Amino acid sequence: MSYRRLAITVLFLLIAVLSGVLTGCTNERRTVPTATETVSNVSVMVAQKTAVPDWLEAVGNVRAEQTTQVASQMVGNIIEMRVHEGDRVQSGQVLAIVDDAQPRSRVEQAASAVAAAEKEVAAADSDLALADSTLKRYQQLYEKKSVSPQEFDEIKARYQSAEARRDMARAGQAQANAGLTQTRTSLGYARIRAPFAGVITEKMAAAGTLASPGKPIFTIEDTRSYRLEATIDESDIRIARIGQVVPVTIDALGNTDLSGKVVQIDPAADPASRSFLVKVDLRADAHLRSGLFGRAQFPRGERTSLLIPRSAVVVRGQLQGVYVIDANQIAGLRYITLGKTAGDQVEVLSGLQAGEKLVAAPGDRELGGKRIAARP
């Protein structure tokens, strides 16, 4: 009986071993690797370093060459506002009106004083004319010994007194005229006018507000000329000079190329940032506005850079990469860091070494893990 059980056990063990062997053979057939796909006629290039112009990029903001704050030159309530932000104005245009009751009253008083002074001058002139004719008659009589010296001196004194009165009347008239001119000028201050043609960029008061000298009501800027005010570190300020023409890029204007001319370099550095403010005049452009971000490029020689065609760059979301070909001609996507562009080429800052092969124009093709057959 024991031999029978032993034989059955050995039989089951043999069956299990044979089943494992067969299963292993089946798995080995399933894991046979497939052939690598080959992509033919692919443009391949070798990354190489080359000498490129070295530019210092100075960033800053666009500012109008002429900007000013407009305030009232008299104290009074604003009774009318005639412009708003964004309005274009001409030189001398009325922007707001201040209550002019008091200065108008002073003008009327000054006009009355001028009229009174004119009458005083007329009376003094009449008296002087009479004294002059009397003096001439007495002069003739005195020469003929017909009047005494005392009588002649009295007439002469009257003439001199009339002349002095006339001179005082004319001085009073001049003073009255000056007062009238001054009050009329003060009355003109009730009309707040634009000092030059431009655009209202800010309104800081409203009708009913009390206006006073030194309290700004508007900000106006001249839109005919703009500057880029950029900063340059103290270690690089030597490359900027007055009169230098430099290329300028304004982000808001897209790829529009502007040229600028350096017109001013602040003589003192900012002690906090250790940088200098450089002002670059920009050529006229209707799309320029104050506050736009811009870049000015200052040449400072040459440097070595690794450039590749922009067509070689593959974009994956926010990342950029290239297909690098290894020694077995297999392409692999490698993410890189890009720098500045120069025409149809772009600078590689990291992720790629000189001498490595890459696909020059992958387009939309998925080449990762595929064998690359270069175009002959």
Side-chain angles (χ1 to χ4, degrees), residues 105-342:
S105 175
R106 287 193 290 269
V107 168
E108 293 173 356
Q109 293 175 3
S112 298
V114 168
E118 289 175 350
K119 292 180 180 180
E120 183 67 23
V121 169
D125 284 342
S126 178
D127 291 344
L128 180 61
L130 177 60
D132 182 57
S133 62
T134 302
L135 178 61
K136 288 178 180 178
R137 288 196 304 270
Y138 269 76
Q139 180 72 36
Q140 294 174 355
L141 294 173
Y142 179 72
E143 291 174 353
K144 295 177 180 179
K145 308 291 185 180
S146 299
V147 295
S148 66
Q150 182 177 358
E151 291 176 320
F152 178 74
D153 289 342
E154 289 178 357
I155 297 302
K156 187 176 181 180
R158 289 179 187 175
Y159 170 80
Q160 292 173 342
S161 177
E163 187 178 34
R165 179 189 171 195
R166 192 276 315 269
D167 291 343
M168 290 181 62
R170 288 184 177 179
Q173 183 185 31
Q175 185 176 3
N177 286 331
L180 179 59
T181 301
Q182 183 177 3
T183 55
R184 283 176 175 171
T185 301
S186 298
L187 180 61
Y189 293 157
R191 302 296 193 266
I192 301 174
R193 301 178 183 273
F196 51 80
V199 172
I200 302 297
T201 59
E202 187 178 7
K203 186 179 74 170
M204 294 163 277
T209 304
L210 181 65
S212 60
K215 183 179 180 181
I217 300 175
F218 302 99
T219 298
I220 181 173
E221 67 177 35
D222 186 352
T223 59
R224 294 171 296 180
S225 55
Y226 285 93
R227 290 176 174 176
L228 176 66
E229 297 183 356
T231 56
I232 296 181
D233 189 76
E234 62 180 1
S235 60
D236 294 313
I237 193 60
R238 66 186 183 281
I239 67 175
R241 62 184 185 277
I242 300 295
Q244 183 179 11
V245 178
V246 296
V248 175
T249 303
I250 307 298
D251 287 7
L253 304 186
N255 294 324
T256 302
D257 293 328
L258 297 175
S259 61
K261 182 178 180 180
V262 178
V263 294
Q264 182 179 338
I265 302 174
D266 279 5
D270 182 350
S273 62
R274 311 307 304 173
S275 61
F276 289 82
L277 185 66
V278 178
K279 297 181 180 180
V280 182
D281 265 356
L282 302 176
R283 63 176 174 82
D285 191 295
H287 298 93
L288 287 175
R289 296 288 185 274
S290 287
L292 295 180
F293 179 78
R295 302 178 175 89
Q297 307 260 342
F298 291 84
R300 56 181 178 186
E302 289 187 345
R303 61 186 176 86
T304 302
S305 176
L306 184 63
L307 298 179
I308 63 173
R310 286 193 288 180
S311 60
V313 179
V314 178
V315 179
R316 293 289 186 268
Q318 301 295 323
L319 303 176
Q320 294 88 29
V322 291
Y323 283 110
V324 180
I325 302 173
D326 63 15
N328 296 321
Q329 307 304 311
I330 304 300
L333 181 61
R334 184 187 299 174
Y335 292 108
I336 58 177
T337 302
L338 300 180
K340 301 176 183 178
T341 59

